[in-house]
Amino acid sequence: MARGGLARLLATLILFLLLAAGPSLAESEADLARGASEAAPDAQQHLLPRPLVIELPSARAGAELDADADADAVVTVDVRCASWRLAAEANNLAPWAAVPPECAPHVRDYVTGSAYRSDLDLVARESAAYARAAAPAGAADGRDAWVFDVDETLLSNLPYYAEHGYGAELFDHHKFDEWVERGEAAAIPSSLKLYNEVRGLGFKTFLLTGRSEAHRGVTVENLNKQGFHDWEKLILRAAGDREKTATVYKSEKRDEMEQEGYRILGNSGDQWSDLLGSSMSARSFKLPNPMYYIP
Amino acid sequence: MARGGLARLLATLILFLLLAAGPSLAESEADLARGASEAAPDAQQHLLPRPLVIELPSARAGAELDADADADAVVTVDVRCASWRLAAEANNLAPWAAVPPECAPHVRDYVTGSAYRSDLDLVARESAAYARAAAPAGAADGRDAWVFDVDETLLSNLPYYAEHGYGAELFDHHKFDEWVERGEAAAIPSSLKLYNEVRGLGFKTFLLTGRSEAHRGVTVENLNKQGFHDWEKLILRAAGDREKTATVYKSEKRDEMEQEGYRILGNSGDQWSDLLGSSMSARSFKLPNPMYYIP
């Protein structure tokens, strides 16, 4: 699965320029609000009679008719918002600035319920299984590396987002920085277990975060307090990285790792911008995060 | 979508041999059956007291205690299987040969219910919004291309999978080929609408499928009957492609497209092997498919 480094990075940049000119975010959310039924009428014009026992289910036909019934409406919104969340996880969405208003309750219920924890646990187990299979052999040269993002990957800022609409509010850098400086983010348990297992297998761990250098002290303290130790390097955004997208900044840092002779075998992040770009990991793991999007 | 006959079989076998050396697939399913709680004890050893109002939810603690209660057990399996499905869509799973047995009912309910249709519709709407933003301008040179996979992307084989456990059975090439030869696969309505919109915007459409050349006649007939017309090229697996994984075969075909001067701006597929590799599209769209995995 050679994903082409620089070419793809450039393509990503060009795309953002293209999208800036186009109808991306607002329209995407408007589409979501309009619901999923609009595709049907046009499509039907092209359909000949189908001799099939099983038809694709017509999801919205009934729901539209019963839009006044509260119970049905709730089910419908939940299905639509589950689709939105799935699309986010599969990297199908245009860049978005906040959770669509109608999906705020869905996202709140997800991240505070059992599904988020279960999703995190499964990704960690798949990561660990891969790590064991890909682990450095006896004659390791100490150059096998695993990259971890920090926020919503090793540490959870859920208490902060609970105070700010679970992603339904626009991101406030100032307030979030205040939260970071408290150093109270909690370890994601499955990630802590994975982190220690990966280290035990002989990988060098690199923590690559979008947090700025100004937060290095409290970040080290917070990570240590939560059980994360002995990383090879903790990389934070320097002043010169501030204008870069996360995709570009993190790609550059991975490029440097490879230039130093490291082989990046695993990469864990809750954003696609943690995982895509150049010097991509042999295998990447996308942790769930429906609360925010970082380009 | 590309179901490459022998190649897929061989690739699957090779994968299983690789996996046999590591702990991945069998263990992954066993892990799934064991549930998500095992991470907690180890992780807790590293946790200091946390002064947080909101804790990450402990998903399985309650469910384990109530394992005898049928209702709770059902919820638990459903949450676990939703995690499995999400992980598949986000490309987090190791290669898998069949839906885990305990998730067969979950997958059946998903693909026959409203969620699958809603998920397909949302991906198509996001694809169309991007297509409009990226569409060829007035002075187009006819080289802007959109690639579509066929099976489970343009056409649905749901009636076949309904007869074969919705992915819980191991794939049977012989029986699936018989189904393909009936030419009765139905258009996915949102994909048909997207296909026509993309063509209307001036994109050249390329259909890149894992079906073999032997099925060209019935595939053309099936596509036309369902409303798909005027593609630039329908690319099927030649004899020489049979041993290749879908990722390699499709990458080679995209390489050829680029060598011919096409710019691949969009790519729609239900498998990550439709989307990853070389000559990747400027943007890719992953349609949902929890029924099978093609490397």
Side-chain angles (χ1 to χ4, degrees), chain B residues 134-137 140-146 202-205 262-265:
Chain B
D141 60 1
R143 294 286 164 176
D144 292 297
W146 196 293
F203 288 93
K204 294 285 176 18
T205 54
Y262 289 101
R263 293 177 294 275
I264 306 175
L265 297 184

Side-chain angles (χ1 to χ4, degrees), chain A:
Chain A
M1 310 226 180
R3 308 186 187 189
L6 190 58
R8 172 152 165 84
L9 188 61
L10 281 171
T12 306
L13 284 171
I14 290 165
L15 270 171
F16 272 103
L17 293 175
L18 283 172
L19 289 169
S24 49
L25 229 201
E27 170 156 336
S28 157
E29 291 190 20
D31 274 345
L32 193 69
R34 275 201 298 279
S37 64
E38 59 174 8
D42 282 1
Q44 295 302 333
Q45 297 172 6
H46 307 276
L47 290 176
L48 297 176
R50 290 181 281 166
L52 296 170
V53 179
I54 292 173
E55 299 273 338
L56 287 174
S58 177
R60 302 267 305 145
E64 291 285 20
L65 295 173
D66 295 335
D68 290 338
D70 278 353
D72 280 5
V74 168
V75 168
T76 299
V77 168
D78 202 57
V79 167
R80 280 208 302 275
C81 292
S83 292
W84 178 84
R85 186 164 57 77
L86 181 72
E89 295 304 331
N91 203 21
N92 285 328
L93 294 184
W96 49 281
V99 171
E102 76 162 348
C103 294
H106 171 91
V107 168
R108 180 200 61 214
D109 292 351
Y110 168 73
V111 294
T112 59
S114 61
Y116 178 44
R117 174 65 172 266
S118 167
D119 292 347
L120 287 167
D121 286 353
L122 180 54
V123 178
R125 286 203 307 281
E126 290 289 327
S127 308
Y130 165 74
R132 289 191 290 271
D141 59 2
R143 294 286 164 177
D144 293 296
W146 196 293
V147 177
F148 289 93
D149 171 53
V150 173
D151 291 298
E152 269 57 67
T153 297
L154 296 184
L155 297 178
S156 171
N157 300 298
L158 208 46
Y160 173 82
Y161 286 99
E163 297 287 324
H164 295 87
Y166 294 103
E169 294 177 14
L170 284 179
F171 185 69
D172 183 323
H173 284 277
H174 183 67
K175 285 183 186 161
F176 186 73
D177 282 356
E178 284 177 0
W179 157 259
V180 164
E181 277 302 314
R182 287 166 59 183
E184 293 175 1
I188 293 175
S190 51
S191 295
L192 178 57
K193 188 186 178 208
L194 173 66
Y195 179 88
N196 285 321
E197 180 159 3
V198 160
R199 274 194 50 245
L201 286 165
F203 288 92
K204 293 285 175 19
T205 54
F206 287 76
L207 277 48
L208 178 48
T209 173
R211 291 185 177 193
S212 88
E213 277 288 352
H215 298 302
R216 178 177 289 274
V218 73
T219 299
V220 168
E221 197 182 329
N222 195 158
L223 284 163
N224 285 339
K225 199 169 69 176
Q226 291 294 323
F228 297 98
H229 301 286
D230 298 321
W231 50 78
E232 187 69 11
K233 207 167 179 183
L234 167 64
I235 305 166
L236 302 101
R237 246 183 229 261
D241 300 320
R242 245 180 263 158
E243 309 297 308
K244 298 168 187 165
T245 64
T247 306
V248 169
Y249 154 66
K250 295 197 169 187
S251 291
E252 288 176 358
K253 296 303 171 185
R254 288 195 305 269
D255 293 346
E256 290 171 18
M257 289 175 58
E258 290 198 343
Q259 283 154 20
E260 291 165 20
Y262 289 101
R263 293 176 295 275
I264 307 174
L265 297 184
N267 187 1
S268 301
D270 65 292
Q271 300 287 322
W272 283 99
S273 54
D274 296 328
L275 310 173
L276 300 177
S278 57
S279 300
M280 281 175 58
S281 174
R283 204 166 150 201
S284 295
F285 295 92
K286 169 68 176 75
L287 280 70
N289 182 359
M291 297 185 292
Y292 56 86
Y293 170 89
I294 298 176

Side-chain angles (χ1 to χ4, degrees), chain B residues 83-106:
Chain B
S83 292
W84 178 84
R85 186 163 57 77
L86 181 72
E89 296 303 333
N91 203 21
N92 284 329
L93 294 183
W96 49 279
V99 172
E102 75 162 348
C103 294
H106 172 91

